Amino acid sequence: MTTPTAPTTPIRWNTGSAAQRCDRCFARAQVRVVFPSGNDLLFCGHHARKHRDGLVGLTIEPITGG
């Protein structure tokens, strides 16, 4: 039996608008939700609708492109 090891290279997130992924399921992101702290989450259309009631009062920006 082998012992799993951590990757030796850092994970690189693709920041291109067409390649941004939902923070819940990794589908293509449709919206960016920005919290007052400046932190953000990306959601696909499904998860944006699912969490719509909890997002009231936050900044929601559509993600366009590619």
Side-chain angles (χ1 to χ4, degrees):
M1 188 161 136
T2 61
T3 303
T5 59
T8 57
T9 57
I11 296 173
R12 297 185 191 276
W13 297 102
N14 190 336
T15 58
S17 62
Q20 291 178 330
R21 300 290 172 188
C22 176
D23 288 319
R24 297 292 297 167
C25 69
F26 300 109
R28 197 178 100 214
Q30 298 292 317
V31 297
R32 176 177 176 243
V33 179
V34 182
F35 294 89
S37 65
N39 294 331
D40 65 354
L41 287 174
L42 302 177
F43 286 124
C44 65
H46 164 79
H47 283 105
R49 286 186 299 276
K50 181 177 179 180
H51 298 291
R52 160 182 41 215
D53 293 340
L55 303 177
V56 172
L58 299 175
T59 302
I60 300 175
E61 304 169 346
I63 295 177
T64 59

